[in-house]
Amino acid sequence: MDPQQARLFKKVKSGKAVLFIGAGASHGAGPPLGGELAAQIHQEFLPGAPNPAQDLTEVCTRVLDTPGVDRVTVEEFIRSKLDFQPSPAHRALCRNRWQAIFTTNYDDLIATAYRTAPDRRQRCDACFGRDFTRSQSDYIDVVRLFKLMGCLTGRDEHSQMALSRSDYNRKLRQRGPLFKMLFD
């Protein structure tokens, strides 16, 4: 193991690491990757139409801009495509202490793993709004799961899935202080 890997493992083992997770982390549990999901959405809502982009946001923007397409129907379709159980890797996350977990994923695989793992080290608290403050004792017992682009179960403007370009831009504005903190 090289020295950089050793430092990283030491930080993780001591609970002083922050985890950033994207679509690849969910793929092992069975859900499609972003491009695959985009293709499925396009096929379902715009069958026969040319599909020049495999980008999920671009496809969803086109679908939601199509007259007669209801956002709730699109969200339900996405929920049906992301209905999976946590993988062993998700459950393994629960056996470490994290300062925080950040994800762009809509699925609830991490939260479910924390809820159901008998050997978890912390309780998981999903965060969607603007208030990211916490008490000092929180850091040991609770890991904050920052759902940067919303969640499958989201119903309000803070937790709803960011599907279209305008949704994405709204999330950036809503989470400005959080994104600034990540940038810094």
XYZ file of all heavy atoms in Angstrom, residues 2 28 35 37 41-43 57 62 72 76 79 92 94 99 102 105 130 132 152 160 168 176 180:
199
model
N 0.598 2.174 -0.886
C 1.435 3.369 -0.937
C 1.074 4.330 0.206
O 0.029 4.179 0.837
C 1.355 4.035 -2.315
C 0.035 4.734 -2.597
O -0.516 5.380 -1.688
O -0.439 4.658 -3.745
N -23.774 -1.375 -8.474
C -23.583 -2.726 -7.969
C -24.836 -3.338 -7.366
O -24.953 -4.560 -7.248
N -26.816 7.243 -18.011
C -27.081 7.152 -19.446
C -28.113 6.087 -19.779
O -28.954 6.265 -20.661
N -30.490 5.029 -17.707
C -31.775 5.539 -17.230
C -32.326 6.575 -18.204
O -33.528 6.580 -18.510
C -31.632 6.130 -15.826
C -32.900 6.683 -15.183
C -33.977 5.604 -15.070
C -32.585 7.270 -13.809
N -35.946 6.391 -20.067
C -36.928 7.479 -19.969
C -37.309 7.949 -21.359
O -38.500 8.144 -21.664
C -36.360 8.650 -19.117
C -36.226 8.213 -17.660
C -37.236 9.896 -19.239
C -35.403 9.163 -16.807
N -36.320 8.117 -22.216
C -36.590 8.548 -23.592
C -37.492 7.544 -24.301
O -38.479 7.924 -24.943
C -35.282 8.728 -24.358
C -35.488 9.271 -25.727
N -35.724 8.455 -26.811
C -35.535 10.541 -26.175
C -35.896 9.202 -27.879
N -35.778 10.479 -27.523
N -37.179 6.273 -24.175
C -37.972 5.225 -24.825
C -39.409 5.214 -24.310
O -40.349 5.018 -25.074
C -37.316 3.855 -24.614
C -38.061 2.710 -25.249
C -38.165 2.846 -26.766
O -37.251 3.320 -27.422
N -39.291 2.435 -27.318
N -30.127 14.704 -17.529
C -30.773 16.016 -17.383
C -31.341 16.501 -18.711
O -32.462 17.019 -18.759
C -29.775 17.051 -16.815
O -29.276 16.561 -15.572
C -30.431 18.396 -16.601
N -36.145 17.501 -22.069
C -36.954 17.340 -23.286
C -38.278 16.656 -22.982
O -39.333 17.050 -23.482
C -36.177 16.541 -24.335
C -35.174 17.367 -25.080
C -34.766 16.817 -26.441
N -34.628 15.379 -26.543
C -33.530 14.691 -26.228
N -32.487 15.304 -25.761
N -33.500 13.392 -26.377
N -45.227 14.051 -12.483
C -45.465 12.983 -11.513
C -45.301 11.613 -12.178
O -44.725 10.692 -11.591
C -46.855 13.130 -10.862
C -47.195 11.940 -9.985
C -46.922 14.433 -10.060
N -42.596 8.768 -11.120
C -42.998 7.394 -10.795
C -42.241 6.384 -11.653
O -41.840 5.327 -11.159
C -44.512 7.215 -10.972
C -45.339 7.888 -9.897
C -45.038 7.377 -8.496
O -44.801 6.159 -8.314
O -45.003 8.203 -7.568
N -38.793 6.120 -10.198
C -38.846 5.324 -8.957
C -38.896 3.834 -9.263
O -38.237 3.029 -8.604
C -40.052 5.735 -8.117
C -39.875 7.031 -7.389
C -41.071 7.350 -6.479
N -40.960 8.701 -6.016
C -41.599 9.748 -6.552
N -42.442 9.580 -7.549
N -41.406 10.956 -6.071
N -21.347 -2.209 3.777
C -19.990 -2.024 4.303
C -19.734 -0.563 4.682
O -18.990 -0.290 5.631
C -18.961 -2.506 3.287
N -21.617 1.333 6.214
C -22.181 1.546 7.546
C -21.241 1.116 8.663
O -21.456 1.478 9.820
C -23.500 0.773 7.697
S -24.719 1.139 6.458
N -17.573 11.663 8.451
C -17.932 13.028 8.820
C -19.228 13.411 8.108
O -20.087 14.054 8.683
C -16.818 14.008 8.437
C -15.594 13.897 9.298
C -15.846 14.410 10.694
O -16.359 15.499 10.877
N -15.504 13.601 11.677
N -21.826 12.712 0.742
C -22.455 13.536 -0.284
C -22.749 12.653 -1.480
O -21.885 11.880 -1.903
C -21.522 14.669 -0.722
C -21.290 15.696 0.341
C -20.325 15.508 1.312
C -22.038 16.855 0.374
C -20.104 16.447 2.293
C -21.826 17.803 1.355
C -20.860 17.599 2.321
N -26.925 10.910 -6.254
C -27.895 9.866 -6.585
C -29.274 10.167 -6.004
O -29.386 10.651 -4.886
C -27.419 8.514 -6.053
C -26.147 8.054 -6.729
O -25.702 8.634 -7.706
N -25.555 7.012 -6.195
N -31.626 24.002 3.702
C -30.532 24.960 3.780
C -29.805 24.911 5.113
O -28.696 25.407 5.225
C -31.074 26.362 3.567
C -31.697 26.526 2.214
C -32.189 27.921 2.041
N -31.598 28.374 0.802
C -31.391 29.610 0.477
N -31.699 30.565 1.306
N -30.864 29.937 -0.667
N -27.638 23.318 7.599
C -26.722 22.196 7.695
C -25.956 22.221 9.016
O -24.918 21.595 9.143
C -25.730 22.213 6.531
C -26.412 22.235 5.199
C -26.252 23.301 4.343
C -27.234 21.199 4.816
C -26.884 23.320 3.113
C -27.873 21.213 3.584
C -27.690 22.277 2.741
N -35.600 10.052 -4.408
C -36.781 9.366 -4.939
C -38.043 9.676 -4.151
O -39.131 9.752 -4.713
C -36.568 7.850 -4.892
C -35.587 7.235 -5.850
C -35.446 5.749 -5.570
C -36.011 7.469 -7.275
N -37.195 17.149 -3.764
C -37.638 16.611 -5.047
C -36.446 16.364 -5.978
O -35.456 17.099 -5.948
C -38.598 17.622 -5.677
C -39.183 17.238 -6.987
C -40.088 18.335 -7.517
O -39.720 19.500 -7.541
N -41.287 17.949 -7.916
N -32.109 21.573 -11.908
C -30.694 21.548 -11.558
C -30.231 22.941 -11.115
O -29.574 23.085 -10.083
C -29.889 21.060 -12.758
C -28.403 21.026 -12.545
C -27.799 19.958 -11.894
C -27.594 22.060 -13.004
C -26.433 19.918 -11.690
C -26.225 22.024 -12.810
C -25.653 20.960 -12.157
O -24.308 20.931 -11.957
N -26.600 26.800 -2.368
C -25.444 27.674 -2.567
C -24.418 27.613 -1.451
O -23.225 27.397 -1.712
N -20.669 26.107 -1.888
C -19.543 26.973 -1.584
C -18.600 26.297 -0.602
O -17.384 26.317 -0.768
C -20.003 28.316 -1.037
C -18.825 29.270 -0.784
C -19.267 30.592 -0.254
C -18.137 31.547 0.009
N -16.815 31.055 0.197
